Amino acid sequence: MHFALPPRKTSRPPPYAARNQGGISLPPALRNLLRSRLRLAVVGVLALITLLWLRGGSRGARGAVDLPKVAIGSGPPVVIVTVLDPKANPAWAQKIRTNREDYAKRHGYLTFFPTPTQYDLKRAPPTWSRVPALRHAMTLHPGSTFFWYLDSSALIMTPTLNLQTHLLDPTRLENLMITNTPVVPPDSVIKTFANIKGSRIDLIVTQDKEGLAPTSFVVRNGEWAKFFLDAWFDPIYRSYNFQKAETHALEHIVQWHGTMLAKLALVPQNTFNSYASGPASEHDGQFKEGDLVATFPGCDRDGRSCETEQQPYFERLERA
């Protein structure tokens, strides 16, 4: 006697066949009810998100209207920025502050004294803090036109010299600019541009006989300055093992990015960054009476003391 065999099951189910996952099968009416409630919940969430977005956008628009825009040039013309080590001798740090504050008060400028600990430098040397410090100062004083970074290793020695007439006036700057010269002496193939108008310059810096010298430099407030400082502070540069940290990073940027070099003016070192000691430019870098600034590069390293080296110059200022 033969019995009919059930149809043989294939190991290859047809495309899109529903697979039994061992779950509980719900009645169709209940499944439809759950689907409808899920749709309502999704619609409700989307409506709530849209409402919150519209309310937030409305407040943001009102805030943008109510917040006054500060025009560059509407505030004090110059802000002097000096980063101070919080571990430094407080008496010496106060002398540095007073040196800048007296000068600023005389000419209607402002001062700003942050510390390296205010900025997230990761594992970069604290000298990098000068870059975010300038960005910070621009945020605090958006109406000012120029921001002068002056390292704590420097002293203003001729307080009667006004930075605007001494350096920043476009005609004066054009007369001072060193054009068609290697950015990094003595033989860099990248040279400063010629025939640039002083009014188009946004970064003013000096060089000593080893390279650029950003112990004293000026940045003009504006979108280019923000772009420049953000590029300079890029994590790639901070993590790269440059021998001179931010100084070599700056040299790299201005040599290999035309948008930077086109806004750069090199001026004689004794204009606002004369060296009382160190690798001064052979032509115009050594400090002499009447120079605006005396700088002591590296006085805070290798067992040296800025306080000790600057003391005779503080005494000279007191006598004056």
Side-chain angles (χ1 to χ4, degrees):
M1 184 175 180
H2 298 282
F3 294 95
L5 297 175
R8 188 170 182 174
K9 293 183 179 179
T10 176
S11 61
R12 297 181 181 178
Y16 316 113
R19 297 185 180 184
N20 186 0
Q21 301 295 330
I24 299 174
S25 179
L26 298 176
L30 182 57
R31 284 203 303 271
N32 292 335
L33 178 62
L34 290 175
R35 286 198 189 100
S36 63
R37 291 190 175 180
L38 180 60
R39 289 194 199 100
L40 288 175
V42 171
V43 170
V45 170
L46 291 176
L48 178 61
I49 293 173
T50 302
L51 178 61
L52 292 174
W53 180 81
L54 289 173
R55 292 181 64 185
S58 176
R59 286 198 300 270
R62 288 197 298 271
V65 172
D66 296 337
L67 183 64
K69 289 186 177 181
V70 179
I72 296 175
S74 62
V78 176
V79 178
I80 305 170
V81 180
T82 296
V83 177
L84 291 173
D85 184 354
K87 299 178 182 178
N89 182 343
W92 170 79
Q94 185 55 51
K95 286 183 178 181
I96 295 295
R97 286 175 173 268
T98 302
N99 179 255
R100 276 69 163 154
E101 289 169 347
D102 288 350
Y103 178 79
K105 184 177 180 181
R106 179 189 291 262
H107 299 288
Y109 301 160
L110 295 176
T111 56
F112 179 52
F113 301 101
T115 64
T117 55
Q118 291 180 243
Y119 310 111
D120 184 9
L121 303 177
K122 305 299 183 186
R123 291 183 294 274
T127 52
W128 271 101
S129 59
R130 70 190 66 191
V131 186
L134 280 170
R135 197 75 163 81
H136 189 180
M138 288 180 181
T139 302
L140 294 176
H141 307 290
S144 293
T145 305
F146 295 100
F147 292 80
W148 178 17
Y149 176 80
L150 187 60
D151 199 78
S152 61
S153 64
L155 293 176
I156 299 173
M157 293 300 300
T158 309
T160 56
L161 283 179
N162 180 288
L163 189 68
Q164 293 163 274
T165 56
H166 178 64
L167 173 65
L168 303 178
D169 175 77
T171 302
R172 167 69 172 167
L173 183 56
E174 288 173 19
N175 291 331
L176 290 170
M177 285 164 47
I178 304 171
T179 60
N180 197 33
T181 193
V183 172
V184 179
D187 53 6
S188 170
V189 297
I190 308 299
K191 298 183 178 182
T192 54
F193 288 177
N195 303 319
I196 299 181
K197 295 293 185 182
S199 59
R200 296 179 62 85
I201 294 298
D202 288 338
L203 171 62
I204 308 171
V205 68
T206 66
Q207 59 180 193
D208 56 28
K209 66 181 181 181
E210 294 181 351
L212 295 182
T215 44
S216 176
F217 65 97
V218 173
V219 175
R220 183 199 299 270
N221 194 6
E223 292 304 314
W224 183 91
K226 296 172 185 175
F227 158 71
F228 161 68
L229 293 171
D230 289 349
W232 190 4
F233 199 61
D234 191 288
I236 293 177
Y237 296 129
R238 282 182 283 140
S239 63
Y240 192 80
N241 192 25
F242 285 114
Q243 183 182 3
K244 290 189 177 181
E246 76 290 340
T247 299
H248 281 171
L250 175 63
E251 291 176 353
H252 171 83
I253 291 173
V254 299
Q255 285 188 98
W256 302 113
H257 297 277
T259 52
M260 307 296 187
L261 188 59
K263 293 289 189 176
L264 169 73
L266 280 180
V267 297
Q269 193 177 350
N270 62 5
T271 308
F272 72 129
N273 197 21
S274 303
Y275 282 3
S277 61
S281 169
E282 297 176 358
H283 305 292
D284 50 39
Q286 205 66 43
F287 175 79
K288 62 183 184 300
E289 196 69 34
D291 286 351
L292 177 60
V293 168
T295 302
F296 303 77
C299 65
D300 55 348
R301 300 191 299 269
D302 304 325
R304 296 166 58 189
S305 167
C306 292
E307 182 179 2
T308 301
E309 294 183 25
Q310 291 174 344
Q311 184 56 35
Y313 289 78
F314 278 122
E315 292 172 0
R316 185 185 302 187
L317 284 169
E318 290 171 1
R319 289 194 301 268

